[in-house]
Amino acid sequence: MKVPFLDLQAQYQTIRAEIAAAMQRVLDDAAFAGGPYVAQFEKEFAAFCQCQYALGVSNGTAALWMALRALGVGPDDEVITVPNTFIATAEAISLCGAKPVFVDVDENTYTMNPALLEAAITLRTKAIIPVHLYGQTADMDAIMLIARAHGLFVIEDACQAHGATYRGRPAGSIGDAGCFSFYPGKNLGAYGEAGAVVTNNAELAAKLKLFRDHGQPQKYHHTVIGWNDRMDGLQGAVLSVKLKHLAAWNQTRRNYAQLYRALLAGLHNVVLPREAIAGRHIYHIFAVRLPNRDRVMKALAEKGIQCGVHYPIPVHLQEAYHFLGLRRGGFPIAEKHAAELLSLPMFPELTTAQIDYVAREIKHGVNGAAA
Ligand SMILES: Cc1ncc(COP(=O)(O)O)c(C=O)c1O
């Protein structure tokens, strides 16, 4: 049996007619860059995130960069984040001219460990970016408390957490801003590149609106130096269609996570993902921890099961960040996780037979690889 890590075509087949109609409307109206379909999606996504404003932008990296910039982060500033994230989180900080400062993550939730936060704060610290990794929100109450005590901004990297909640509040709505990626493989994925920033801060929203459109409040009148980070009209239309399905898709992911848990329970040497009591995980990624990860991954691939690793090298050990002078051993939990985590196939169009097969082969793989 073949089990892909992700099957975007399978999902497309379930919404083909809706997508075709939505795209046709954009084509008929030639509303390609920004425009009414982006505005409509922004309205819907703001409501979904229980935020006053949602600004559609070109991708999640741009969303993070623009939010930092709009909050005034610049050279000589430090921004605290985690090393076990996609590099975009750190890139956005670097692109502002600021320095990424890392704190290690919690052993069980894989998100920022607030107990380590205070020690990383300096006079230069301007903001904190917790990452809601794999679809699970970070410990936001503790992070917000520390941030407010030190006068720091909080930007949620919610690029993997569309529809996740923390104490009932949607991911992205808790900090000063929440940044989302709609990269095609995300729980809410566009048919190309797209992203958004959500916020309840009117001033911040106004700045973001300017920045994403060359700093022009009015055509060819540029009040600040901006950039071109508008969302495409076609992506806005696709995202409006897909947003209607997101709650059901997320619920299916949660059901499949339960099934994986039941099938893999009690297996020696397999650590299952933990769900924090305060959060509702939406399983963008279902990752298990295995001491012999690479051998199991290879064994699964030989059986037609495609897995992923998110992420094999923590950001502080990436070549691009050698200049920070951070060494192996600095963030032991993130480093251990990078060596052990294996992302199993997880998407709403999987079948229970496929999940059954993956679980069975993991049992064989774990036993075989241990030998
Ligand atoms: C945690 C995290 N941050 C940022 C990004 C960047 O988003 P994008 O790929 O849309 O630029 C991603 C997406 O890959 C992500 O997973």
Side-chain angles (χ1 to χ4, degrees), residues 59-61 64 85-86 88-89 131 157 159-160 181 186 311:
N59 55 64
T61 312
L64 287 162
T85 181
F86 182 56
T89 319
V131 179
D157 183 337
C159 287
Q160 301 186 3
S181 164
K186 302 297 191 204
Y311 298 90

